[in-house]
Amino acid sequence: MTDATARPRRRRTPEDWADAALGLIAEGGLAAVTVDALAARVGTTKGSLYHHFAGREALLDAALARWEDRTTTAVLRDVRDAAFDPAAMLRLLIVRVVATAEQDPVGLALLASAHHPAVAPVLERVTDTRLAAVTGLFTELGFAPDEARSRALLAYSAFLGHGQLAHSTPGVLPHAKEDRRAYLDQVVRLLSAR
């Protein structure tokens, strides 16, 4: 193949680098995100990283923002756009976050690095946003503010536990479609029971 017929290499975008960082976090935690590992993952030189970011910390910030958007902002937006009734929104949110927990090894890895200066504020913001959204749904369902907050905290704790189980011992969770539906219906019933 000559230079004239060679396919031009696609320029790497900041999103490519952020996704590579998230992949490395999922596989080996925050410590796995090195400039060399990132360049190898993206398939280009380290200089490309510095073309888009001031350094590793700036890239981490971009990757964490991307994770936050995918696992929190977009999920909440999709739920609000898909349902108007608070009970339907709660059920849809539970279904979506359970699926997210099962497919998101990044969240678990970030919890292991919760005290890192780049991670701590993101986890705090994500947790606050998620709890506020679920508290709002329970309030719309007619629960008093303190009770709505308690139920939201219970729901969020269950979400975190579900994520742990999905990655550590997935065999304990229901997998058949009917069993899964019954399980999620029970979760909604228990959380919203008066």
Side-chain angles (χ1 to χ4, degrees):
M1 187 178 285
T2 67
D3 288 339
T5 60
R7 262 174 99 201
R9 284 180 50 168
R10 183 177 70 83
R11 290 185 67 94
R12 302 301 184 224
T13 66
E15 292 78 17
D16 292 332
W17 285 98
D19 288 341
L22 291 173
L24 289 169
I25 291 169
E27 293 168 12
L30 215 52
V33 183
T34 66
V35 175
D36 288 331
L38 285 162
R41 173 70 56 105
V42 173
T44 190
T45 65
K46 295 185 283 188
S48 176
L49 180 138
Y50 296 108
H51 174 74
H52 297 292
F53 300 99
R56 179 184 180 270
E57 294 304 316
L59 171 59
L60 277 178
D61 290 343
L64 294 173
R66 195 157 169 83
W67 172 80
E68 179 179 1
D69 182 63
R70 287 178 179 167
T71 63
T72 303
T73 309
V75 171
L76 293 174
R77 182 182 55 244
D78 291 349
V79 167
R80 280 192 299 271
D81 291 349
F84 297 102
D85 173 68
M89 288 174 74
L90 179 63
R91 185 173 199 304
L92 179 58
L93 182 60
I94 289 171
V95 168
R96 286 287 307 272
V97 298
V98 162
T100 298
E102 292 173 357
Q103 299 168 7
D104 179 30
V106 174
L108 289 177
L110 292 177
L111 288 173
S113 300
H115 298 296
H116 186 280
V119 175
V122 174
L123 287 179
E124 186 173 336
R125 187 173 55 247
V126 163
T127 299
D128 289 347
T129 300
R130 291 171 177 178
L131 284 173
V134 179
T135 299
L137 287 175
F138 282 118
T139 302
E140 288 182 50
L141 288 169
F143 292 98
D146 288 345
E147 181 66 19
R149 173 74 176 177
S150 292
R151 288 173 186 259
L153 188 55
L154 177 61
Y156 193 61
S157 298
F159 159 74
L160 292 174
H162 187 94
Q164 286 282 349
L165 289 173
H167 293 279
S168 64
T169 53
V172 302
L173 297 172
H175 289 287
K177 190 173 185 175
E178 307 81 38
D179 295 339
R180 188 173 187 78
R181 182 176 297 130
Y183 165 70
L184 293 174
D185 286 343
Q186 183 179 26
V187 168
V188 173
R189 270 193 313 277
L190 290 172
L191 289 171
S192 58
R194 297 204 178 259

